[in-house]
């Protein structure tokens, strides 16, 4: 009985996978958002006990030379679930059509430890996609790596290339992708709703990763940023060339200096005094003479016989004084001599 039930479950999942795969092969041309909005009830999985978050490898190479022709092991991991919490799963995986899948014993994907107690199945979806499923008789799914896929970077890879990898939810009214427990309980339905609305990225839940946000739109592969994707292989873009221009500015400063010259003119005056003596009173009269330039004027003196005597004029002041002194001495001697007689 259990055997028949398991066969029916496997058959149902396989039929669902094949139907959805067939519809997507013919339409696939490049990596685009192949996912659909989750429309089953309940749509809100926030009340789920187990909240599966499904993540995909994000591999970044520093240079195109390092990446070209390399085979990258891409892992699909689940977290946010307890040990032994899920059983029946199924979802579609797509990768950039420039990547080449490296088959493993004829299969695109290899089962990981998280689901090694479940029965896995896969169906190829053209050269660039695969439908991955699990089923079983009990809730034997664990957190960890569910699947690995080997993808080869093209030989003509160039700096700035981004190769998105997407987990896409697909369904139609009779079948669709799954992530639930063995009996599809109420908690199993909530877990599934969470997985495809919050636990994976899509157009309804875009990926904020900067590499996807800034993926080059000039590449013919992308008409818009592939933020619906969950993982990628990427190559760093070349660093922009920075040109530094140095401008030298010469400033000329003119200083005006004003010099003020002061000229001082000095005027010297020389005063010559001539003494005169009279025989009766020995009276002397002092005269003042002013000298302007080199000219000297000598004052007049009165003698006892009322004769007018002028001092000699000279341009040298010292000589004038000496002559005047000599005249006084002579006059005095003459007066004394006359008194004696």
């Amino acid at each position: 009985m259990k055997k028949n039930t398991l066969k029916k479950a496997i058959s149902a999942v396989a039929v669902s996978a094949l139907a959805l795969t067939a519809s997507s092969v013919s339409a696939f041309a490049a990596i685009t958002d192949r996912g659909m909005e989750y429309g089953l009830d309940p749509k809100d999985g926030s009340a789920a006990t187990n909240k599966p978050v499904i993540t995909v490898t994000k591999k970044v190479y520093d240079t195109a030379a390092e990446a070209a022709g390399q085979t990258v092991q891409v892992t699909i991991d689940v977290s946010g679930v307890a040990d032994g919490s899920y059983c029946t799963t199924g979802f579609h995986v797509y990768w950039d059509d420039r990547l080449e899948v490296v088959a493993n014993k004829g299969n695109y994907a290899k089962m990981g430890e998280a689901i090694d107690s479940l029965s896995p199945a896969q169906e190829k979806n053209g050269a660039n996609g695969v439908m991955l499923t699990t089923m079983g008789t009990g809730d034997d799914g664990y957190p960890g790596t569910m699947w690995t896929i080997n993808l080869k970077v093209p030989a003509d890879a160039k700096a700035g290339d981004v190769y998105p990898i997407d987990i896409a939810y697909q369904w139609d009214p009779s079948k669709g992708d799954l992530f639930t427990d063995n009996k599809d309980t109420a908690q199993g339905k909530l877990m599934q709703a969470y997985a495809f609305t919050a636990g994976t990225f899509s157009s309804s839940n875009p990926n904020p990763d900067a590499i996807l946000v800034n993926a080059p739109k000039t590449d013919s592969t992308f008409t818009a940023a592939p933020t619906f994707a969950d993982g990628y292989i990427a190559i760093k873009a070349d660093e922009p060339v920075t040109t530094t221009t140095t401008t030298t500015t010469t400033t000329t400063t003119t200083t005006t200096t004003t010099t003020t010259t002061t000229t001082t003119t000095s005027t010297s005056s020389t005063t010559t005094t001539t003494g005169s003596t009279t025989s009766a009173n020995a009276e002397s009269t002092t005269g003042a003479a002013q000298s302007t330039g080199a000219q000297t004027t000598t004052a007049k003196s009165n003698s006892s016989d009322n004769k007018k005597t002028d001092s000699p004029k000279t341009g040298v002041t010292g000589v004038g004084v000496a002559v005047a002194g000599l005249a006084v001495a002579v006059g005095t001697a003459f007066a004394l001599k006359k008194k004696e007689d």
Side-chain angles (χ1 to χ4, degrees):
M1 185 70 174
K2 287 184 179 179
K3 205 172 198 180
N4 290 334
T5 302
L6 178 59
K7 285 183 179 179
K8 287 180 182 179
I10 292 173
S11 178
V13 173
V15 168
S16 175
L18 287 172
L20 290 173
T21 297
S23 66
S24 59
V25 169
S26 60
F28 188 85
I31 184 73
T32 56
D33 186 4
R34 304 306 305 278
M36 302 175 185
E37 186 177 356
Y38 188 79
L40 302 180
D41 289 325
K43 296 181 180 63
D44 182 5
S46 59
T49 301
N50 290 283
K51 294 180 171 65
V53 175
I54 305 171
T55 56
V56 179
T57 293
K58 297 176 179 180
K59 173 67 176 178
V60 180
Y61 286 100
D62 290 330
T63 65
E66 183 185 0
Q70 294 298 311
T71 297
V72 180
Q73 185 180 77
V74 174
T75 65
I76 299 171
D77 302 318
V78 62
S79 60
V81 295
D83 292 349
S85 58
Y86 63 93
C87 175
T88 308
T89 68
F91 46 81
H92 290 73
V93 182
Y94 297 99
W95 50 88
D96 191 285
D97 63 353
R98 293 169 293 176
L99 298 172
E100 178 186 348
V101 64
V102 180
N104 177 34
K105 297 180 180 180
N107 294 318
Y108 281 179
K110 182 180 179 180
M111 179 178 64
E113 292 181 356
I115 58 172
D116 62 3
S117 296
L118 296 172
S119 297
Q122 60 182 286
E123 192 67 35
K124 297 174 184 177
N125 190 358
N128 306 94
V130 65
M131 170 69 176
L132 302 174
T133 67
T134 63
M135 61 217 71
T137 57
D139 295 328
D140 296 320
Y142 284 72
T145 298
M146 296 180 70
W147 301 93
T148 61
I149 303 173
N150 291 327
L151 299 174
K152 187 176 181 180
V153 180
D156 61 352
K158 60 185 183 298
D161 277 353
V162 179
Y163 308 99
I165 305 164
D166 182 37
I167 294 176
Y169 171 78
Q170 295 181 346
W171 68 284
D172 66 30
S174 62
K175 52 196 172 292
D177 289 352
L178 307 164
F179 203 109
T180 187
D181 54 21
N182 177 257
K183 298 186 181 300
D184 196 25
T185 64
Q187 273 298 320
K189 287 180 170 63
L190 287 169
M191 178 167 57
Q192 179 172 289
Y194 190 92
F196 295 120
T197 59
T200 54
F201 291 107
S202 63
S203 58
S204 300
N205 181 36
N207 194 333
D209 189 285
I211 288 180
L212 294 173
V213 170
N214 299 316
K217 313 305 183 301
T218 54
D219 193 313
S220 60
T221 302
F222 307 125
T223 55
T227 54
F228 56 84
D230 297 88
Y232 50 76
I233 299 170
I235 305 170
K236 289 182 180 179
D238 289 333
E239 293 292 334
V241 178
T242 303
T243 303
T244 303
T245 302
T246 303
T247 303
T248 302
T249 303
T250 303
T251 303
T252 303
T253 303
T254 302
T255 304
T256 303
T257 304
T258 302
T259 303
T260 303
T261 304
T262 304
T263 303
T264 304
T265 304
S266 301
T267 303
S268 300
S269 59
T270 303
T271 303
T272 302
T273 304
T274 303
S276 63
T277 305
T278 60
S279 57
N281 300 319
E283 181 180 358
S284 55
T285 303
T286 303
Q290 292 183 345
S291 174
T292 301
Q295 184 176 356
T296 303
T297 304
T298 304
K300 296 179 181 179
S301 74
N302 295 323
S303 63
S304 59
D305 56 357
N306 294 325
K307 289 184 180 179
K308 189 182 294 182
T309 303
D310 294 329
S311 63
K313 295 180 181 180
T314 176
V316 180
T317 303
V319 175
V321 170
V323 171
L326 180 60
V328 171
V330 171
T332 303
F334 179 79
L336 291 175
K337 175 69 178 169
K338 189 173 182 180
K339 188 175 180 181
E340 290 176 358
D341 292 341

